[in-house]
Amino acid sequence: MAVQSPPKAPKNEGNLVDRRPTRIAFSQKLGRWDVKVSPYLYISPFFILFAITGLFPLIYTGYISVHQWHTLGGQGDFVGLQNFQDVLDQSSFWKALRNTFSIFLISSVPQIIAAITIAAILNANLRAKTFWRMGVLLPYIVAPIAVGLIFGQIFADQYGLANGFLNIFGIEPIRWHAEVLPSHVAIATMVNFRWTGYNTLIFLAAMQAIPSDLYEAAIIDGAGRFRQFFSITIPQLRATIIFVVITSTIGGLQIFDEARAFDAQGTGGADKQWLTLTMYIHELGWGNQLNFGRAAAVAWLLFLIIVAIGILNFFITSKIATSGGSKPKKFKKVGKR
């Protein structure tokens, strides 16, 4: 009787070996968690600080704005939108809104143009580049109150340096502290003095990131410096210009130090000629009225205005940026006939 051999084990197709699932070590799990969680931990300090110093005050200010809130007496009754209605009925609010937009436009537009121009000059081959680049930042580190006191004397109504310079050309003295537009020009000059150098360094950093091949090709095609500036430099700076415009809008609508230090009283003029919205908030909360509710209402109105203007600036600048394209213009080759 033949002895049957034991059944053979089935061969694994493709020489595959059956493997039982192995348990992942704790160190491997920890490494995976580190890869997934660590990026959020690195950026979390910003969001934590923003929630404490930015988001919470914003929400709490909105809570105060719908209550009758005295600076010394504290919280009162719930009044809804009454504080907003009371603020909108006051002429001082509309004067402050007019002054804020006027100073913002007079300061921001020339400031951006001057910053781009100075950055283009500093980007050229100059001697002592570091000295000149650091020099444009010096006005930024000067205390705002010092700038206000100095320029307040420069733009004095009778004996100021500005009127003395105009007198050379036979122009009568300008009442910088009494008239609306001259006071706005004086305050805008202070703002430009402090912030032009800061924006200049931003534009300078962006200009240095532009590939040099573009300029070399433009030189070969016969383009001059002005043509290179408007056809290469400006198109390549579109993203930076959008950033500077938005930040200038946010800062320009919150002008406080320069306007408050423009005279000794710091009240925005006898007829509120240069009273800004931030100064008006300070007057409502810590001035004669001592009404935190109305001050919070103005703060929220200013916040909504800044958001609306910022969104409008973003869409306008983005449309301008995308309409021209990101590629530099081609130049017609200039050659001898």
Side-chain angles (χ1 to χ4, degrees), residues 185-225:
V185 173
I187 296 173
T189 304
M190 288 188 279
V191 176
N192 292 336
F193 173 78
R194 290 194 63 233
W195 291 96
T196 300
Y198 176 83
N199 290 327
T200 297
L201 293 184
I202 295 178
F203 285 122
L204 178 61
M207 288 180 184
Q208 292 181 341
I210 299 175
S212 59
D213 299 341
L214 300 177
Y215 294 101
E216 294 175 358
I219 294 173
I220 294 175
D221 291 341
R225 290 185 178 272

Side-chain angles (χ1 to χ4, degrees), residues 81-93:
L81 300 178
Q82 185 62 40
N83 287 325
F84 292 88
Q85 183 64 39
D86 294 340
V87 166
L88 295 176
D89 290 339
Q90 295 183 3
S91 61
S92 297
F93 171 78

Side-chain angles (χ1 to χ4, degrees), residues 60-66 84 281 284 291-301:
Y60 192 59
T61 302
Y63 175 78
I64 295 175
S65 65
V66 295
F84 292 88
I281 294 173
L284 290 175
N291 193 325
F292 259 16
R294 292 183 181 180
V298 177
W300 254 89
L301 289 174

